[in-house]
Amino acid sequence: GEDAHLGNPAKSLRDNLWHFDYVVKKFGVTKKALGVTVHGLRHEALIDHYESVAGVPPPVRGGGEVSPEADKAARLSAAKLAGHNRPRASGAYLGQSVIMRSIASSETPNPESGDLPETSGRIPFA
């Protein structure tokens, strides 16, 4: 559920993180053994999830064209999978959406006045 705890709620965050580290090392999921980190695997899983929902890779993988609606749905789905409830949180592992890059690079648009960059309804990635 949404309030589920992945660690032992009776233990501190520090103790839970230590236990997690112990378990992944015990199973050999280390940079030294496999050339990967658990955090890297998390990013890969979230990127793969975005691609399966949106139908195209996210910006961090070069992407392709995707509708704003499909991008938003895929970002929200990936964010929820990661334990977040805001699609914006997904930018850290998916890359920034073209709409957000366009807004950031334009001359301080005012969203309340409708002063947003023109789009053709599709977001070209890459």
Side-chain angles (χ1 to χ4, degrees):
E2 286 185 25
D3 296 326
H5 196 289
L6 293 177
N8 181 345
K11 300 212 178 237
S12 69
L13 174 61
R14 181 179 171 190
D15 289 343
N16 279 308
L17 289 173
W18 182 89
H19 182 70
F20 178 77
D21 189 51
Y22 167 78
V23 170
V24 296
K25 284 180 180 173
K26 184 173 175 100
F27 285 95
V29 183
T30 64
K31 186 160 184 148
K32 184 176 182 180
L34 298 178
V36 298
T37 64
V38 175
H39 194 74
L41 292 173
R42 172 184 164 91
H43 278 244
E44 183 177 7
L46 296 170
I47 290 166
D48 289 346
H49 179 78
Y50 173 94
E51 188 169 346
S52 72
V53 174
V56 297
V60 75
R61 281 200 184 151
E65 286 194 15
V66 62
S67 73
E69 296 81 18
D71 180 62
K72 184 177 180 181
R75 283 177 182 278
L76 181 58
S77 182
K80 286 188 176 198
L81 183 63
H84 304 292
N85 286 318
R86 296 172 298 119
R88 190 177 82 171
S90 66
Y93 37 86
L94 300 174
Q96 199 174 42
S97 71
V98 169
I99 287 178
M100 294 309 295
R101 282 195 308 258
S102 175
I103 290 171
S105 67
S106 70
E107 296 181 83
T108 33
N110 181 354
E112 292 176 12
S113 70
D115 185 21
L116 295 174
E118 294 287 328
T119 64
S120 64
R122 296 197 56 80
I123 301 174
F125 282 22

